[in-house]
């Protein structure tokens, strides 16, 4: 079993182009089934300053291809990843 803390240490990488998306900040869990539905990453605007608000990048669990020892590989399925503020 993998804990949230262990997942947070792994870097999330987009398989298509090798882009680094960041690290997991939180999980979205279905309260009825107890299953993980998505991982949530915080994405900081590179042009922003220290106080700028981070965006959330939500990646559905079915977009995860592989969880390795130090990285998590994800793919873009059905268009871009969901970015919210």
């Amino acid at each position: 079993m993998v804990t949230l803390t262990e997942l947070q240490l792994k870097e999330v990488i987009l398989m298509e182009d090798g882009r680094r998306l960041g690290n997991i900040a939180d999980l979205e869990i279905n309260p009825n089934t107890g299953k993980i539905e998505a991982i949530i990453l915080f994405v900081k605007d590179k042009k922003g300053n220290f106080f700028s608000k981070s965006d959330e990048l939500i990646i559905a669990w079915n977009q995860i291809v592989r969880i390795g020892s130090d990285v998590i590989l994800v793919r873009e399925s059905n268009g871009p990843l969901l970015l919210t503020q």
Side-chain angles (χ1 to χ4, degrees):
M1 180 183 341
V2 178
T3 65
L4 174 59
T5 304
E6 291 171 341
L7 285 175
Q8 289 174 323
L9 296 175
K10 301 176 190 294
E11 190 166 21
V12 180
I13 308 287
L14 191 59
M15 255 182 65
E16 286 79 10
D17 59 6
R19 188 170 21 133
R20 295 176 179 193
L21 300 177
N23 295 79
I24 295 176
D26 206 355
L27 300 174
E28 184 177 306
I29 299 174
N30 183 320
N32 298 321
T33 64
K35 292 186 178 185
I36 299 172
E37 294 194 348
I39 57 176
I40 301 170
L41 287 69
F42 287 135
V43 180
K44 280 199 173 246
D45 184 8
K46 293 186 183 201
K47 295 179 280 186
N49 62 20
F50 180 74
F51 298 105
S52 64
K53 185 176 186 295
S54 298
D55 291 330
E56 288 183 349
L57 183 62
I58 300 172
I59 302 171
W61 188 255
N62 62 3
Q63 289 178 261
I64 296 175
V65 176
R66 179 115 174 131
I67 299 176
S69 59
D70 57 350
V71 297
I72 298 172
L73 297 176
V74 299
R75 67 178 170 334
E76 280 187 289
S77 64
N78 301 331
L81 304 170
L82 181 58
L83 187 65
T84 62
Q85 274 189 333

